[in-house]
């Protein structure tokens, strides 16, 4: 149910704008997916989880969302997609595999990791290799419009010609003169009219395995072209939201805008959204320096960077405690604090089922609920939402202790709202431990200790009672005494 106006930070206007979909009640959203030549890393995961949150919330508001997220399995060269090795081919040579074996291996890895994070699959997940025809068709239209040229079997987008009547650089804020000054010398640079021109189609060298016939040569599409082809094929020449990592703003997304405007003569996207990067212990994640960690290494604890394993849900909860547009730093201390917070929140949620309702409420649940929606309607502000959800811990404890009261209607609203935001919007999962055999054993063991502690208190053996409580606390198990008995939580 839609609560109020939704505002989204638009990278194109560099401001928050009221969201108005092209078609009432329906949204088209495209997000640049992974290049599948290696295991998906945490920086990628943060971007995709940011848009999973956005996808979930838009669906929660009642919109019909067509979410398209591609798989880049061809055409993404090194050096900003202009020259060098295709990373998939490079990995195929290293692992002595067919390129499509590499694609399959790491596509499966990507899907497996995202499933562990409980991310929803997109509505459509097209591949670059599955849309070669559409990409050739766009190149032909851009040439016909006068914004591209062929040289030695490759086709390049004429940025200066396009900029005469359009604004190349409007997304990134870059000026053409600055782009010329900062353009690196790349292989086949001499084929270009201007150094900032980018490839729409590349002629394949003899050793290049992945190639397709075209009017210009046997070759492969430019990296930027594939997203223009797939986004417009499934969402139309104009659609609502285009997302990706901050690092894709230039040149990738800038080139997408230019291609689409040159081909279709309309601005393709109304709202451009970009998720920010992750750092690790205050430094940029980098495989070359060893300052990186893969998701599965976090989940198993098999790494030399973090102090202990962290579950996918805790990791995701930690990510959502920062706004998607802010830089987020991973560290053991921050993750451990987030894990404790997550456990407190889950404890509070479970406590709601044991609360006794009164005739009247002394807590303002309607106001609290509105504040939750206000946070998400303000550019999907998950950290503010989570701060409001933590107020439930205070409510649950105060009501349990008889300091506050809650009516049956408000209690039902509180439970439903918590469920909606925790599980439907944030996509969190309750502790795996709770549902495992180990969890059952832990529950039984703590229940026995609580029983022994209750007997000690009844016998006025307060030293033993305190010892049981303190020993459990030292192991991260917090006992809570309430009017309905003693419960425990993991800290």
């Amino acid at each position: 149910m839609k609560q109020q106006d939704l505002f989204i930070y638009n990278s194109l206007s560099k401001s928050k704008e009221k969201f108005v979909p092209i078609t009432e009640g329906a949204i088209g959203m495209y997000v640049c997916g992974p290049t599948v030549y290696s295991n998906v890393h945490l920086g990628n995961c943060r971007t995709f989880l940011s848009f999973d949150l956005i996808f979930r919330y838009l669906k929660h508001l009642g919109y019909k969302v067509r979410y398209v997220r591609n798989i880049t399995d061809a055409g993404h060269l090194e050096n900003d997609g202009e020259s060098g090795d295709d990373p998939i081919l490079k990995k195929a040579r290293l692992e002595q595999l067919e390129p499509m074996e590499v694609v399959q291996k790491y596509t499966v890895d990507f899907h497996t990791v995202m499933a562990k994070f409980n991310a929803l699959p997109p509505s459509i997940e097209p591949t670059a290799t599955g849309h070669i025809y559409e990409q050739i068709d766009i190149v032909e239209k851009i040439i016909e419009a006068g914004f591209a040229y062929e040289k030695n079997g490759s086709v390049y987008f004429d940025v200066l010609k396009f900029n005469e009547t359009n604004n190349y650089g409007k997304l990134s804020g870059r000026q053409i003169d600055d782009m010329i000054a900062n353009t690196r010398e790349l292989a086949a640079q001499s084929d270009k009219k201007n150094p900032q021109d980018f490839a729409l189609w590349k002629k394949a060298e003899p050793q290049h395995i992945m190639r397709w016939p075209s009017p210009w040569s046997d070759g492969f599409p430019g990296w930027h072209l594939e997203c223009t082809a797939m986004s417009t094929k499934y969402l139309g020449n104009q659609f609502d939201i285009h997302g990706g990592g901050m690092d894709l703003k230039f040149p990738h997304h800038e080139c997408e805008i230019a291609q689409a405007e040159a081909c279709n003569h309309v601005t393709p996207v109304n709202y451009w959204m970009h998720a920010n990067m992750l750092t690790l212990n205050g430094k940029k994640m980098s495989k070359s320096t060893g300052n990186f960690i893969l998701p599965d290494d976090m989940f198993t604890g098999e790494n030399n960077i973090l102090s202990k394993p962290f579950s996918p849900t805790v990791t995701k909860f930690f990510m959502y405690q920062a706004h998607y547009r802010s830089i987020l730093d991973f560290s053991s201390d921050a993750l451990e604090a987030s894990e404790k917070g997550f456990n407190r929140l889950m404890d509070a949620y479970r406590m709601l089922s044991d609360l006794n309702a009164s005739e009247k409420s002394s807590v303002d649940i309607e106001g609290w609920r509105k504040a939750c929606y206000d946070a998400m309607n303000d550019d999907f502000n998950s950290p503010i939402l989570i701060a409001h959800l933590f107020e439930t811990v205070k409510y649950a404890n105060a009501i349990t202790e008889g300091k506050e009261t809650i009516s049956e209607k408000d209690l039902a609203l509180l439970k439903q709202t918590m469920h909606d935001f925790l599980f439907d919007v944030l996509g969190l999962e309750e502790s795996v431990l709770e549902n495992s055999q180990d969890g059952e054993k832990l529950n039984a063991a703590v229940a026995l200790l609580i029983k022994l502690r209750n007997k000690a208190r009844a016998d006025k053996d307060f030293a033993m009672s305190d010892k049981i409580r303190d020993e459990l606390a030292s192991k991260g198990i917090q006992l809570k005494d309430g009017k309905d008995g003693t419960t425990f939580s993991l800290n």
Side-chain angles (χ1 to χ4, degrees), residues 253-369:
H253 291 160
E254 199 76 74
C255 294
E256 278 193 63
I257 293 173
Q259 290 167 161
E261 290 183 348
C263 177
N264 301 318
H265 314 293
V266 292
T267 299
V269 179
N270 286 349
Y271 303 87
W272 284 90
M273 301 181 68
H274 292 92
N276 217 324
M277 65 183 290
L278 283 178
T279 57
L280 182 60
N281 293 322
K283 299 177 182 177
K284 183 179 179 180
M285 286 195 185
S286 170
K287 288 190 177 181
S288 62
T289 63
N291 192 55
F292 78 99
I293 185 170
L294 296 175
D296 279 340
D297 295 338
M298 283 192 64
F299 306 155
T300 62
E302 295 176 3
N303 63 82
N304 298 319
I305 296 173
L306 302 176
S307 61
K308 53 172 284 189
F310 293 96
S311 71
T313 289
V314 166
T315 305
K316 180 162 73 167
F317 183 68
F318 169 74
M319 291 185 188
Y320 288 163
Q321 286 184 288
H323 192 266
Y324 76 91
R325 287 193 289 113
S326 66
I327 294 174
L328 175 61
D329 185 58
F330 264 68
S331 70
S332 275
D333 289 345
L335 282 160
E336 286 183 32
S338 189
E339 184 176 53
K340 290 178 181 178
F342 171 76
N343 288 332
R344 284 201 310 274
L345 200 55
M346 288 298 112
D347 287 339
Y349 174 72
R350 288 188 285 266
M351 283 176 66
L352 298 182
S353 299
D354 298 324
L355 294 182
N356 294 318
S358 303
E359 289 187 12
K360 294 182 179 180
S361 293
S362 61
V363 289
D364 180 12
I365 300 303
E366 286 281 1
W368 167 83
R369 182 174 184 269

Side-chain angles (χ1 to χ4, degrees), residues 156-170:
Y156 298 95
F157 191 93
D158 193 333
V159 170
L160 292 185
K161 180 69 180 297
F162 176 78
N163 200 54
E164 290 175 4
T165 53
N166 298 272
N167 181 9
Y168 183 81
K170 61 185 175 183

Side-chain angles (χ1 to χ4, degrees), residues 29 31 44-60 65 67 69 110 113-123 243-244 273 275 316 319-320 324 376 380 382 421-428:
M29 181 171 77
V31 173
N44 294 139
C45 291
R46 188 196 182 190
T47 295
F48 301 131
L49 289 175
S50 294
F51 286 98
D52 184 62
L53 173 70
I54 291 163
F55 180 39
R56 285 172 173 275
Y57 186 63
L58 294 174
K59 286 166 62 73
H60 175 71
V65 185
Y67 174 21
R69 186 185 66 207
F110 171 62
V113 169
M114 296 313 294
K116 289 178 181 178
F117 278 120
N118 195 33
L120 297 175
S123 313
M273 301 181 68
K316 180 162 73 167
M319 291 185 188
Y320 288 163
Y324 76 91
M376 287 301 289
F380 310 99
S382 58
F421 280 110
L422 287 174
F423 307 120
D424 294 345
V425 175
L426 295 175
L428 302 175

Side-chain angles (χ1 to χ4, degrees), residues 411-474:
L411 181 56
L413 184 64
L414 178 60
K415 288 179 183 176
Q416 186 62 54
T417 304
M418 281 290 285
H419 182 277
D420 289 346
F421 280 110
L422 287 174
F423 307 120
D424 294 345
V425 175
L426 295 175
L428 302 175
E429 295 181 293
E430 290 195 65
S431 172
V432 176
L433 177 66
E434 180 181 71
N435 300 315
S436 67
Q437 290 184 348
D438 287 344
E440 293 175 4
K441 292 175 184 176
L442 175 65
N443 289 337
V446 176
L448 176 60
L449 289 169
I450 289 174
K451 188 174 180 180
L452 292 173
R453 179 171 174 262
N454 288 340
K455 184 176 187 306
R457 293 169 77 185
D459 294 340
K460 300 191 183 306
D461 187 354
F462 298 116
M464 177 58 69
S465 169
D466 290 347
K467 183 176 181 180
I468 292 173
R469 180 198 63 206
D470 295 343
E471 288 286 338
L472 286 173
S474 71

Side-chain angles (χ1 to χ4, degrees), residues 74-147:
H76 185 174
L77 300 183
E78 296 174 341
N79 296 322
D80 296 333
E82 287 300 308
S83 73
D85 284 335
D86 181 326
I88 292 171
L89 291 177
K90 191 173 181 180
K91 198 59 171 280
R93 287 195 295 268
L94 286 171
E95 298 192 7
Q96 296 185 317
L97 299 171
E98 282 288 328
M100 280 303 162
E101 285 184 274
V102 173
V103 166
Q104 178 69 6
K105 176 180 178 180
Y106 293 112
T107 299
V108 169
D109 169 73
F110 171 62
H111 289 155
T112 301
V113 169
M114 296 313 294
K116 289 178 181 178
F117 278 120
N118 195 33
L120 297 175
S123 313
I124 304 173
E125 192 173 52
T127 63
T129 55
H131 295 78
I132 300 297
Y133 170 81
E134 289 85 352
Q135 293 175 77
I136 291 173
D137 183 56
I138 289 176
V139 176
E140 290 178 326
K141 288 178 179 177
I142 295 175
I143 292 174
E144 186 179 337
F147 295 118

Side-chain angles (χ1 to χ4, degrees), residues 470-488:
D470 295 343
E471 288 286 338
L472 286 173
S474 71
K475 304 299 182 185
I477 301 171
Q478 186 73 41
L479 297 185
K480 297 179 181 178
D481 296 318
K483 63 180 182 180
D484 296 321
T486 302
T487 60
F488 77 94

